[in-house]
Amino acid sequence: AAHVAGASMGGFIAQLVALNHPDRVLTLTSMISGPNGADQVQPTAEGLAVLLAPAPETREERIALGLASKRALLGPADPFDPEYEGEKVARAVDRAYHPAGFMRQLQAITAAPSRLQRLRELRIPALVVHGDADILVPVDNGRRVAAAIPGARMLEVTGMGHDIPRRVWPQVVDAIAELARESTTAC
């Protein structure tokens, strides 16, 4: 059994792991994610533009697009650090740049049915982390997930976008650790 956490599409996957294998999941942490399907609040126009940007041809253009996307998705409370983000984007581009794979992931997300009804059946400790300035997966998605899971906690971070910025790492880590501690003492 494991404590399962995921962000964005990883949050969707973490939810599915908990739903499909509740006996193997000690706690669920779903971050900047939502319920999918008809219950999903759609991205803003700006968020949708990030998703649908055409694939660049050159490495430099790929890095530039990655930086523009990071800047757009970052919440207003977090300063954009081009050096820090540039290093991360360049590593990601060099490691595995595959536009067709990205499109398949996007298609899988949009084709997935809602998990909201099934989430109501979960009986494991859960934490939902979401920023109130998320343009890609608006905060109402996180609120819906938290409201569906019995006893779930909602950590809504002011000024956070579709990212888990360094300023909230201690808060998020502490919340996940507390959830894990409480789950082991409840047994």
Side-chain angles (χ1 to χ4, degrees):
H3 300 280
V4 178
S8 195
M9 183 180 184
F12 300 155
I13 294 167
Q15 291 172 27
L16 286 171
V17 170
L19 290 167
N20 294 336
H21 306 283
D23 55 322
R24 302 295 301 269
V25 177
L26 299 171
T27 64
L28 167 65
T29 301
S30 177
M31 299 178 280
I32 58 176
S33 194
N36 257 58
D39 295 310
Q40 182 84 4
V41 177
Q42 297 302 310
T44 67
E46 186 181 6
L48 197 56
V50 169
L51 282 180
L52 300 179
E57 294 293 321
T58 68
R59 178 182 185 272
E60 292 74 26
E61 290 171 338
R62 293 170 187 155
I63 292 170
L65 177 61
L67 281 169
S69 298
K70 289 277 189 181
R71 184 184 304 267
L73 295 176
L74 195 63
D78 299 297
F80 182 72
D81 181 344
E83 185 176 321
Y84 172 76
E85 297 297 348
E87 290 172 10
K88 285 180 18 182
V89 169
R91 279 194 312 268
V93 165
D94 292 342
R95 182 184 68 242
Y97 179 77
H98 193 58
F102 172 78
M103 289 309 295
R104 283 193 292 276
Q105 288 179 338
L106 188 56
Q107 289 170 333
I109 290 169
T110 57
S114 174
R115 292 177 296 281
L116 207 55
Q117 270 313 113
R118 290 185 68 205
L119 288 169
R120 296 182 204 293
E121 300 166 9
L122 279 181
R123 296 297 180 261
I124 59 173
L127 170 67
V128 176
V129 178
H130 219 105
D132 68 356
D134 191 337
I135 63 171
L136 193 58
V137 183
V139 68
D140 280 339
N141 289 295
R143 292 174 184 151
R144 289 176 182 188
V145 169
I149 302 171
R153 295 180 189 168
M154 176 78 183
L155 173 56
E156 190 170 316
V157 183
T158 302
M160 185 175 96
H162 195 75
D163 187 39
I164 309 294
R166 288 180 281 185
R167 74 172 167 97
V168 302
W169 289 357
Q171 184 181 12
V172 171
V173 167
D174 288 349
I176 294 170
E178 180 65 22
L179 187 72
R181 271 192 302 278
E182 289 178 10
S183 76
T184 58
T185 58
C187 296

